[in-house]
Amino acid sequence: DSGVTQTPKHLITATGQRVTLRCSPRSGDLSVYWYQQSLDQGLQFLIQYYNGEERAKGNILERFSAQQFPDLHSELNLSSLELGDSALYFCASSAGPEQGGGNTIYFGEGSWLTVV
Amino acid sequence: LAKTTQPISMDSYEGQEVNITCSHNNIATNDYITWYQQFPSQGPRFIIQGYKTKVTNEVASLFIPADRKSSTLSLPRVSLSDTAVYYCLVGVNSGYSTLTFGKGTMLLVSP
């Protein structure tokens, strides 16, 4: 158990819909990351938040957005869903440098999204 | 970010030692080398991290030559449960950093 919790574990929705994926980082971790993994694309970095602020952006579509709340949990919002958005979405967390954290990031078990 | 190159796949048998080499020619002075393991439909799991020379833990060893342009993950006496994808990552040892995953190496362990 990595300590990173993601909900829901599985989600099936229709094209055009909107979903929200939720992540609770390890206790005390300030950095939260979102990754997308599909069969043909591998593990793709989407976005990173550090203590509530967006830190880095990767291959995140404009239809997708995320935020990190004061209690450090994070949500990834996916809208106008397309069939190609079907994937496993991972949240990960790590400690900040002032916490003595390195670049070891801990992943949750993922949220399976199927768009039909 | 330093780019990494590792074999797409490797095959082994139970009980053998497996060495997976990763090339990172453009590694920066502050970069650390980290390896992750991923089973199907699970999140990647941290295995080992190093900066130079050799690091060993209860799971694996990491060998890093003096020029740090490559690294080798060594898995002693693999078992069937070691079948997984192994990722080599290079990045700054900071909680600010973002790790970019490549394709990884698919290790298949057979009986």
Side-chain angles (χ1 to χ4, degrees):
Chain A
D1 182 7
S2 67
V4 178
T5 304
Q6 291 186 244
T7 57
K9 292 194 185 315
H10 298 90
L11 189 58
I12 301 175
T13 190
T15 55
Q17 294 298 305
R18 171 190 169 96
V19 298
T20 297
L21 308 181
R22 193 178 190 279
C23 170
S24 294
R26 290 190 321 154
S27 178
D29 280 358
L30 298 181
S31 277
V32 170
Y33 311 77
W34 286 97
Y35 286 82
Q36 178 194 55
Q37 187 169 40
S38 56
L39 285 175
D40 57 345
Q41 291 294 326
L43 202 58
Q44 298 287 317
F45 167 69
L46 296 179
I47 197 164
Q48 178 199 3
Y49 279 81
Y50 179 80
N51 203 19
E53 299 291 327
E54 182 183 302
R55 186 73 191 180
K57 233 174 189 180
N59 301 321
I60 188 167
L61 300 172
E62 286 192 8
R63 300 184 285 108
F64 296 179
S65 65
Q67 54 184 328
Q68 185 180 26
F69 295 87
D71 67 352
L72 301 177
H73 92 271
S74 177
E75 292 182 356
L76 178 66
N77 300 297
L78 314 174
S79 61
S80 303
L81 286 167
E82 302 174 359
L83 296 178
D85 297 327
S86 295
L88 192 51
Y89 291 84
F90 289 109
C91 172
S93 73
S94 70
E98 61 274 13
Q99 300 169 288
N103 64 352
T104 301
I105 57 177
Y106 297 88
F107 284 79
E109 290 305 305
S111 292
W112 265 112
L113 172 65
T114 301
V115 182
V116 297
Chain B
L1 294 174
K3 180 180 164 71
T4 60
T5 303
Q6 50 183 125
I8 294 175
S9 64
M10 293 182 68
D11 294 322
S12 183
Y13 293 97
E14 281 190 292
Q16 291 189 333
E17 178 185 72
V18 171
N19 296 310
I20 306 174
T21 297
C22 178
S23 297
H24 27 80
N25 291 319
N26 297 322
I27 189 169
T29 303
N30 295 332
D31 285 343
Y32 277 68
I33 300 155
T34 311
W35 286 80
Y36 285 80
Q37 174 193 56
Q38 186 180 27
F39 298 112
S41 301
Q42 294 186 26
R45 183 174 72 100
F46 170 84
I47 301 176
I48 197 166
Q49 182 180 79
Y51 183 79
K52 62 180 178 180
T53 63
K54 176 184 174 182
V55 180
T56 297
N57 61 22
E58 64 279 4
V59 176
S61 295
L62 179 60
F63 298 91
I64 306 169
D67 66 5
R68 303 200 328 123
K69 294 184 183 299
S70 66
S71 59
T72 299
L73 174 72
S74 181
L75 305 172
R77 297 180 299 281
V78 294
S79 64
L80 297 178
S81 62
D82 292 317
T83 293
V85 178
Y86 292 83
Y87 296 96
C88 163
L89 288 85
V90 173
V92 176
N93 194 34
S94 163
Y96 292 137
S97 65
T98 298
L99 293 179
T100 300
F101 286 76
K103 297 291 186 185
T105 297
M106 174 65 218
L107 172 65
L108 176 62
V109 180
S110 301

